Amino acid sequence: MPAQQNTPLVSPAKALQKVIAEQRSGRLQIQDINDPSIGWRVYFGAGQIHFAESTMGCGDRLRYILRKHSLGLEGLPTPADATSDYPLLCQYWQAHNLPLNNFRKLLAICTQEALIQFLAIAQSHIAFEATIGLDPLLLSVPFRQLILPVRDHIGQWAQIRADLTSPFQRIFIHDREQFLKFVWQEAEKWQQLQGISHDPAEATCLYDLAHQLGIDVLELAAGLQPLCRSGVLGVQPYQVITQEAQPVIACVDDSATIQQFVKLSLESSGYEVLSLQDPTEAIPHLVERQPLVILMDIEMPKIDGYELCRMVRQVDELKEVPVVMLTGRDGIIDRVRARMSGCTAYLTKPFNPQDLLAQVQKLATEPVVSV
């Protein structure tokens, strides 16, 4: 859930309670900060819970749940690339004309399993979307009714998270010698260790391993936790997330207040802000980072903005980079001096975040044209 990465950290339990107390309708999305490849979503209507699921790994999770509870859907297709449980379950229910009561029970079980996992998270990135709903809507249950039977599991998973973030994490044998020693000493636990690979590239997630062994995933995680903590078993994320490089915008300004304002205005829109407060040291950093746009104050100590802009235009690697002057001066002479120094655009203080963002977005995608 990349859109949530710039949101503040929030307790999922408190966010859930707030949505329920305000009787809101929509969808809450939760991203695990300890493993960004793992996410959860929960659907609400008037404060009632309609469904909860994972945002990835649907096949692994569903296969485990269906085998554990034996509700007559063992033949349900669970494609590896599925990103939502709900349409898969509804299509199977409609195609096979399954009893509605049994199907609602399965929806509740899937929801409980998801609630356990994300309520065990202390803090996460959370986003709420007010217009998202389910079609068809088949479940509407008070939160208390769902959570009371499984609340002890939440506390147990919260303790396990120090070593195993969630049942989606993949494990493999990291220390072969110590692993064999453990198996020799604890032969009765061999069942839980079958199916674990020595190859990190073939590491198995806990949901899949629990499905293969036919045991509860919480029991499995609790049994493997000491081995993970001691380093006998290695732990990997469910998926490796490749972070795309954020476009860089440089801000050369000796004012910490302006630097903070620029960061708040641009970082939430996916830009990385390179803050440079000493204009005498700016050029090497600008050459190294190659920003899309350079924001520059005119009134700075040692070197003013006009002189620094001229210096930028003399550097081959920077001469085509748009330069925006940030200044409280708005006279015709100031604009002429800015043009002669080679600046591209001019923003007069005070300006609002929307104006700054619009100017940056415009210049980041257009050729350099001086003011």
Side-chain angles (χ1 to χ4, degrees):
M1 298 180 290
Q4 297 176 26
Q5 292 180 359
N6 291 313
T7 60
L9 295 178
V10 180
S11 161
K14 290 182 179 179
L16 192 67
Q17 292 168 359
K18 178 177 175 63
V19 170
I20 292 170
E22 295 175 357
Q23 296 191 337
R24 301 175 70 180
S25 298
R27 182 174 74 182
L28 201 65
Q29 294 204 81
I30 300 98
Q31 182 184 27
D32 194 326
I33 59 172
N34 291 330
D35 184 349
S37 69
I38 297 173
W40 305 91
R41 61 172 75 97
V42 54
Y43 295 85
F44 299 88
Q48 301 278 86
I49 293 182
H50 293 166
F51 190 63
E53 62 183 356
S54 60
T55 61
M56 27 41 70
C58 299
D60 290 321
R61 199 175 82 97
L62 276 181
R63 280 190 294 272
Y64 161 74
I65 291 174
L66 294 177
R67 177 173 181 180
K68 178 181 178 182
H69 295 280
S70 303
L71 294 175
L73 279 80
E74 284 77 5
L76 172 71
T78 52
D81 60 349
T83 57
S84 176
D85 301 340
Y86 201 76
L88 291 176
L89 292 168
C90 288
Q91 288 169 15
Y92 191 86
W93 164 65
Q94 292 168 340
H96 293 78
N97 196 28
L98 300 173
L100 182 57
N101 285 342
N102 282 9
F103 185 65
R104 283 177 172 158
K105 182 178 179 181
L106 174 62
L107 294 179
I109 288 170
C110 290
T111 297
Q112 285 177 315
E113 172 64 24
L115 291 173
I116 290 169
Q117 297 306 322
F118 73 72
L119 289 176
I121 302 173
Q123 288 190 314
S124 64
H125 294 294
I126 294 179
F128 182 79
E129 300 167 276
T131 58
I132 304 296
L134 294 173
D135 185 22
L137 178 59
L138 301 171
L139 187 72
S140 184
V141 185
F143 170 71
R144 184 179 178 83
Q145 181 178 325
L146 286 170
I147 210 64
L148 283 179
V150 297
R151 60 182 178 181
D152 289 344
H153 296 176
I154 298 172
Q156 293 173 53
W157 269 111
Q159 294 178 355
I160 291 171
R161 277 181 58 83
D163 304 288
L164 287 164
T165 298
S166 87
F168 280 116
Q169 288 215 287
R170 301 185 184 276
I171 57 172
F172 62 96
I173 299 172
H174 181 258
D175 189 328
R176 183 184 180 88
E177 182 179 342
Q178 290 300 316
F179 177 79
L180 293 174
K181 183 179 179 180
F182 177 83
V183 170
W184 180 260
Q185 294 174 341
E186 305 285 347
E188 73 279 2
K189 293 187 177 181
W190 169 242
Q191 182 196 15
Q192 293 185 352
L193 303 174
Q194 295 182 60
I196 301 178
S197 174
H198 294 81
D199 186 353
E202 298 177 0
T204 306
C205 85
L206 291 181
Y207 272 134
D208 191 34
L209 190 58
H211 166 70
Q212 294 175 30
L213 299 174
I215 63 176
D216 183 81
V217 73
L218 177 56
E219 177 189 343
L220 175 64
L224 298 181
Q225 184 182 15
L227 296 179
C228 295
R229 180 177 298 168
S230 65
V232 174
L233 296 179
V235 180
Q236 293 187 154
Y238 184 73
Q239 295 174 332
V240 176
I241 302 297
T242 303
Q243 297 287 348
E244 293 185 6
Q246 293 180 306
V248 176
I249 307 299
C251 179
V252 187
D253 196 309
D254 61 310
S255 167
T257 301
I258 292 297
Q259 292 285 4
Q260 182 68 10
F261 177 84
V262 170
K263 277 182 172 289
L264 292 173
S265 301
L266 300 182
E267 287 186 341
S268 61
S269 295
Y271 293 102
E272 177 189 350
V273 176
L274 173 63
S275 297
L276 302 170
Q277 289 187 268
D278 187 345
T280 65
E281 299 177 357
I283 296 295
H285 294 289
L286 295 173
V287 171
E288 179 184 0
R289 298 302 306 277
Q290 290 291 295
L292 289 180
V293 178
I294 301 171
L295 308 175
M296 190 181 298
D297 187 25
I298 288 182
E299 298 181 19
M300 294 185 290
K302 301 178 183 177
I303 301 176
D304 65 22
Y306 301 126
E307 179 60 25
L308 182 58
C309 188
R310 281 191 289 269
M311 294 170 62
V312 165
R313 290 292 173 244
Q314 293 170 6
V315 178
D316 288 342
E317 295 92 336
L318 301 173
K319 63 183 179 182
E320 299 298 326
V321 179
V323 174
V324 180
M325 289 294 189
L326 309 179
T327 178
R329 304 176 182 179
D330 196 26
I332 186 66
I333 295 177
D334 301 305
R335 288 184 176 270
V336 169
R337 288 188 67 189
R339 180 188 295 238
M340 293 177 63
S341 71
C343 107
T344 313
Y346 202 91
L347 270 179
T348 304
K349 301 175 185 177
F351 46 83
N352 60 48
Q354 292 77 21
D355 290 340
L356 177 60
L357 178 60
Q359 186 68 266
V360 165
Q361 290 175 330
K362 179 175 182 290
L363 293 176
T365 57
E366 292 184 358
V368 175
V369 179
S370 295
V371 294

